Amino acid sequence: MPSPAPSTARTVVVSIGGSVLLTGTDDAKYVEELADLLREAGRSHPLVVTTGGGRAAREYIRLGRELGLTEVELDEIGIDVTRLNARLLAARLGPPTPAHPPTTIAAAVHELRHASPIVLGGTEPGHTTDGVGALVAARVRAERFVNATDVDGLYDQDPRTHPNARRIDQIWWPEFRKRVHAATSGEPGQNFLFDRLGADTLARAGIPLAIVQGRDLENLGKAIRGEPFVGSRVG
Ligand code: UTP
């Protein structure tokens, strides 16, 4: 009798912003250390990792917009860049992580039954890789979702322009969704710390969200393992 497929119970989903992967400073060292952390965490929890496109995606989208491409075409260009980053991270992780990242939610869920971590980029137009991660999380009833971004949590005002901005350490879904919807319109290349589909999907599924600074790997590891961390908690 074939052995049953490994369980996806206790899955953790991590969304790594492209702005965390590609900063122009020590990126190779960061990706190496990130891969070590994810490989280790992927042994104790089934782990799904999405990679954003960051400034490379935004640059291509800006160029495409100047050339008059449609919004769907711009999204598809963004998706291609997120997949390049997924290839990079998957290659560094090595087996059992599939070298060719899955391109649909269903394929990612399927592969998670055979390997961990699974890395993927975008899937279809209209959202970001946060939304992709949230759909996978909802599908497998993930234990938690960790958003690794370029700020150390959600602030009451934009910390880049408001020096007195204060981090919100705990927020509930209705208020968080209101903030996400106010800050995003769903246009290609938009850059807010979480997207609409992601917030709506996780809220509906009741999956807690942690928002952390992705370059602080020690803290990111704590959030992934479910230990106390510095950042914001939603849910
Ligand atoms: P990202 O996931 O990088 O989103 O997708 P982001 O929030 O703009 O950037 P970072 O990386 O977190 O800083 C880049 C773009 O690719 C398209 C969207 O246009 C998105 O803004 N995209 C991505 C999709 O249309 N569908 C997807 O599934 C993923």
Side-chain angles (χ1 to χ4, degrees), residues 15-20 51-55 57-58 61 71-72 74-82 85 121-132 147-150 186-195:
S15 160
I16 312 271
S19 50
V20 176
T51 53
R55 55 184 186 171
R58 277 193 288 283
I61 288 169
E71 297 294 287
V72 170
L74 297 177
D75 277 340
E76 286 171 348
I77 285 173
I79 290 169
D80 283 347
V81 179
T82 65
N85 285 339
T123 52
E124 67 277 299
H127 50 77
T128 77
T129 45
D130 299 333
V132 171
N147 186 31
T149 183
D150 58 356
E187 272 182 13
Q190 217 172 244
N191 185 27
F192 183 64
L193 100 169
F194 211 62
D195 87 349

Side-chain angles (χ1 to χ4, degrees), residues 47-97:
L47 194 66
V48 177
V49 182
T50 64
T51 53
R55 55 184 186 171
R58 277 193 288 283
E59 185 63 17
Y60 271 100
I61 288 169
R62 187 191 61 75
L63 190 58
R65 191 169 269 130
E66 265 182 48
L67 293 168
L69 271 58
T70 65
E71 297 294 287
V72 170
E73 286 171 323
L74 297 177
D75 277 340
E76 286 171 348
I77 285 173
I79 290 169
D80 283 347
V81 179
T82 65
R83 287 179 177 169
L84 273 180
N85 285 339
R87 281 292 287 264
L88 201 69
L89 181 58
R92 179 66 210 190
L93 275 161
T97 297

